[in-house]
Amino acid sequence: MEYYELLAKRRMYRHFSSEPIPPEVLEKILDSATRGPSAGFSQGFDFLVLNQKPALEQFWNLALTPQWKEETTSHKGLWNAPVVILPLANPDAYIQRYTEQDKDYSPLQDKDHWPVPYWYIDTAFASMLILNSVVYENLGALFFGIFRNLACIKKSFQIPDNYHPIGAIAIGYPSSSDVSASAKRGRREKSSQFHFNQF
Ligand SMILES: Cc1cc2nc3c(=O)[nH]c(=O)nc-3n(C[C@H](O)[C@H](O)[C@H](O)COP(=O)(O)O)c2cc1C
C-alpha cells in the first residue's frame, strides 16, 4: 500500500467481528509501535496487550456499563474486537534517562521542568504507528478513552502505579457500515489551520 493512500484510508472503526487476528500480523503491528521516536530515546512506554477472552471480558466489564452496551448504537460491537491494547506512559523512565551522564546538562531531571509531558507524546506517537499499521494490515481500530474504573483496571491487570494508560486501542476486522466521524464533520480548511511565517 502506498503511504499517502494509507493515510487517506486511516479512520476509526467502532464495530468489529470477533474473528481472531493472525499472530504474525499482530506481531508486526506491535513491532511497529517500537519504531517511533522518543525524547532522549527513553522509550518510556509499555503496552498491555489483551488478546485472550477472559482478559478482554474483564476489561470491557470494567470499562463499560451493561446499560451503555445495551443502549449504544454508535459503538455496537466494539467489544467484539479480538485485541485491545493499552498504551502505558511511564514518566519515571524519562526522569531516569535525563539523569544519565550525556543528559546531565539538561534541567529535565525534575518532572516539573518538562515543557510538555514527553511521556504522553511518545506514547501517542507509538499509538499512531499502531493505528497506521492496522490500516496496512487491512484491519480496523479505535483509539478510545478509558473513562470508568481506571484505578480498578490498573489493579486488575497489575499495571504498576507509575504507568499511565493514555487510552486503549481496539483492533479487529471491522464489520462496519458506520461512517467515520471525520467524514461526517469534515476536515478543517487548511488555510485556517496552517500558519506560514506568522500565526
Ligand atoms: C485522544 C483521542 C481520544 C479519542 N477518544 C475516543 C473515544 O473515547 N471514543 C470514540 O469513539 N472515539 C474516540 N476517538 C476517535 C476520534 O473520535 C476520531 O479519531 C475522530 O473523530 C476522527 O475520525 P477518524 O479517526 O475516523 O478520521 C479518540 C481519538 C483520539 C485521538
Side-chain angles (χ1 to χ4, degrees), residues 127-138:
S127 302
M128 190 69 232
L129 290 170
I130 292 177
L131 294 177
N132 282 351
S133 301
V134 161
V135 180
Y136 188 77
E137 297 296 343
N138 291 309

Side-chain angles (χ1 to χ4, degrees), residues 1-10 132-133 135-136:
M1 192 183 298
E2 198 257 324
Y3 178 70
Y4 289 104
E5 183 194 343
L6 184 150
L7 291 188
K9 267 184 87 176
R10 200 226 41 89
N132 282 351
S133 301
V135 180
Y136 188 77

Side-chain angles (χ1 to χ4, degrees), residues 10-12 14 75 142-145 147 180-182 187:
R10 200 226 41 89
R11 54 158 292 190
M12 303 293 186
R14 294 172 177 83
H75 292 65
L142 176 68
F143 183 99
F144 61 99
F147 302 109
S180 93
S182 47
R187 281 180 204 284

Side-chain angles (χ1 to χ4, degrees), residues 3-151:
Y3 178 70
Y4 289 104
E5 183 194 343
L6 184 150
L7 291 188
K9 267 184 87 176
R10 200 226 41 89
R11 54 158 292 190
M12 303 293 186
Y13 288 91
R14 294 172 177 83
H15 306 254
F16 299 98
S17 76
S18 53
E19 185 183 340
I21 298 172
E24 65 279 10
V25 172
L26 180 59
E27 198 178 319
K28 280 195 274 181
I29 292 170
L30 297 180
D31 185 60
S32 72
T34 69
R35 298 284 154 179
S38 61
F41 203 34
S42 305
Q43 303 175 79
F45 40 84
D46 286 47
F47 304 90
L48 176 69
V49 182
L50 308 177
N51 64 349
Q52 288 180 349
K53 230 176 167 175
L56 287 161
E57 268 173 25
Q58 195 180 344
F59 172 75
W60 290 119
N61 285 341
L62 289 167
L64 306 177
T65 63
Q67 192 193 350
W68 192 83
K69 280 174 86 171
E70 188 63 36
E71 288 172 2
T72 181
T73 50
S74 58
H75 292 65
K76 204 123 215 121
L78 171 60
W79 47 89
N80 290 335
V83 173
V84 173
I85 300 172
L86 273 62
L88 311 170
N90 174 15
D92 293 347
Y94 290 78
I95 307 305
Q96 198 181 332
R97 170 69 185 105
Y98 277 80
T99 58
E100 287 175 24
Q101 210 188 356
D102 61 328
K103 293 286 182 196
D104 66 3
Y105 62 89
S106 125
L108 300 181
Q109 286 87 23
D110 184 337
K111 213 159 124 181
D112 296 334
H113 288 159
W114 289 72
V116 284
Y118 284 177
W119 37 96
Y120 293 132
I121 292 177
D122 295 349
T123 312
F125 283 155
S127 302
M128 190 69 232
L129 290 170
I130 292 177
L131 294 177
N132 282 351
S133 301
V134 161
V135 180
Y136 188 77
E137 297 296 343
N138 291 309
L139 290 159
L142 176 68
F143 183 99
F144 61 99
I146 302 174
F147 302 109
R148 196 172 171 268
N149 284 332
L150 185 59

